[in-house]
Amino acid sequence: AENASKHETWQVRHAAANFLRCFQGSHKFLFTSDHANQITSIAAHLLSDERREVSAAAMAAVTGIIAALPSDEVARLVQKYATQAGKSTMRRKKKGNKTDSNGGMDLTDEEEIKKEQKRAKTQQSSVFFLCATVLSQPYDTPPYIPKALAAISKHSFERNAPLGVRDIVKKCCAEYKRTHMSDNWELHRKMFTQGINELTCLTIGNFIEKCCAEYKR
């Protein structure tokens, strides 16, 4: 599965993601912690795939994997990916391009392109992982869910994330609102600190677009 997840053909990577979802669901009670960590790592790697079919299948796999992990392990992973997400928002491009003495593009431009590609992959994988974490708890709000929601809400702005990432955040928040804010919302609300509560409720309640307008005020 690990070799297939790195195959040059996207259909093979897509099949690997679907296999991990089914395999994990059928064998989760037989896995050791090392097995679980390895499968989680492979599925998380596929979250940053450039093909949406692959990343969507990987997200479904990660959602199932997280649902079967111990809470303390999930909390550790949320902290890890929330930190990555916070450092991977889009940055404004500098005006003008540097040229070398021969009139060609400066080598720093190639370095910047590589850095941007790495940043984009980190952003997609971290935000998708956090969204999968939220979706793995459809009717509960463990302590790590508010942190995950607060982290992904920062990627709802057009200036901070590309359309593909913003769409996933919007769908995740809409699903959380559907499953948590219709019944027993006051019970779930108690899991949020005051600062996170204000930020997250805006994102969920106003479905991202209105949230952006509120944040700009």
Side-chain angles (χ1 to χ4, degrees), residues 23-41:
F23 184 76
Q24 186 275 340
S26 302
H27 297 79
K28 58 186 177 182
F29 298 109
L30 303 176
F31 287 159
T32 65
S33 58
D34 289 340
H35 292 149
N37 290 337
Q38 185 177 12
I39 289 179
T40 303
S41 177

Side-chain angles (χ1 to χ4, degrees), residues 125-181:
S125 62
S126 59
V127 172
F128 281 25
F129 189 97
L130 294 170
C131 288
T133 302
V134 175
L135 297 176
S136 71
Q137 300 293 334
Y139 299 104
D140 194 14
T141 304
Y144 52 78
I145 293 296
K147 182 176 292 186
L149 285 168
I152 65 174
S153 68
K154 299 174 184 177
H155 298 262
S156 63
F157 302 111
E158 183 176 356
R159 66 177 181 270
N160 287 346
L163 179 61
V165 173
R166 299 199 309 272
D167 279 348
I168 291 297
V169 172
K170 179 178 179 180
K171 291 176 182 178
C172 177
C173 290
E175 183 64 15
Y176 184 86
K177 179 180 180 180
R178 184 185 71 81
T179 56
H180 290 75
M181 298 185 74

Side-chain angles (χ1 to χ4, degrees), residues 3-15:
N3 290 334
S5 68
K6 300 176 182 179
H7 199 276
E8 60 181 8
T9 305
W10 73 266
Q11 289 91 340
V12 177
R13 301 196 301 273
H14 182 257

Side-chain angles (χ1 to χ4, degrees), residues 16-89:
N18 286 324
F19 169 78
L20 289 173
R21 177 171 57 86
C22 298
F23 184 76
Q24 186 275 340
S26 302
H27 297 79
K28 58 186 177 182
F29 298 109
L30 303 176
F31 287 159
T32 65
S33 58
D34 289 340
H35 292 149
N37 290 337
Q38 185 177 12
I39 289 179
T40 303
S41 177
I42 296 172
H45 169 74
L46 289 170
L47 290 172
S48 62
D49 198 280
E50 59 186 10
R51 293 289 305 199
R52 182 167 289 192
E53 297 91 338
V54 178
S55 60
M59 189 169 171
V62 171
T63 301
I65 292 170
I66 292 174
L69 290 177
S71 295
D72 57 343
E73 177 64 16
V74 178
R76 184 188 68 80
L77 290 170
V78 167
Q79 180 62 47
K80 170 186 173 181
Y81 284 100
T83 300
Q84 290 183 8
K87 296 178 180 179
S88 64
T89 54

